[in-house]
Amino acid sequence: MIRSWLGEDDFMTGIKKYLKENKYGNVVNEDLWQALSDSSRDRWDVKSAMETWMVEKAYPVVTVNRRGSEISITQDPFIFANTPASKSSTKWTIPFWYGALDKSGNFSRKMVMLREKTDSFMISDDAKLIKGNYGNEGNFRVNYDPESWKAIAAQLNNDHEIFSPGDRAHLLNDFITFTSIQIMNASIAIEMINYLEKEFDFLPWYSAIMGLE
């Protein structure tokens, strides 16, 4: 996730700086975060971003709601059970990569840094759908409003290979998990699972089988 956020060059520069400055010495987490921050040409504060990722017991689910060209994203802790952690007010710093699919069948990949509970951004009004965590780089789940799930299901059934195998596996893992804890409509889940008769890649099938066990 950090490598995708900073970019390959800045990430590797930071790793080399960290190893060079700390060889033969004792280190703490902050030493790595500082080296990565120093290497960032965009001046990202990696330390403050990574604090909750290191200490929080939960991990986030980002919910995507689309209204025409406006996209709102909301983060919450993802917990299977109704525990105090599930009511936590923790906010992660999330590099939210997304892909918007245009009518020509091309994805445009962009990133929004989600620091607060909710943020919003705009996409083209004629975009067919939006896929959160595009490229499957982030350590978080993604839920969608019902119409967005239906658009994803329709695309999978029409031409599933427009998504990479990794993105298909991510979609399958998320929707099976949401269905199992009853936060996703079963009829949409059936539309999602129907496409598997066309699926020949290992990774999506592995994700589906492990989720359904």
Side-chain angles (χ1 to χ4, degrees), residues 48-58 90-93:
S48 63
M50 292 305 297
E51 283 178 347
T52 52
W53 290 99
M54 296 300 296
V55 302
E56 179 62 33
K57 294 179 180 179
T90 299
K91 293 192 292 287
W92 288 262
T93 298

Side-chain angles (χ1 to χ4, degrees), residues 1 48-62 75-79 85 88-95 113-117 139-140:
M1 184 173 72
S48 63
M50 292 305 297
E51 283 178 347
T52 52
W53 290 99
M54 296 300 296
V55 302
E56 179 62 33
K57 294 179 180 179
Y59 64 94
V61 54
V62 178
Q75 61 165 300
D76 293 288
F78 181 77
I79 304 289
S88 167
S89 60
T90 299
K91 293 192 292 287
W92 288 262
T93 298
I94 304 173
M113 189 62 73
L114 179 59
R115 294 186 177 89
E116 302 301 325
K117 183 174 177 63
N139 302 314
F140 55 91

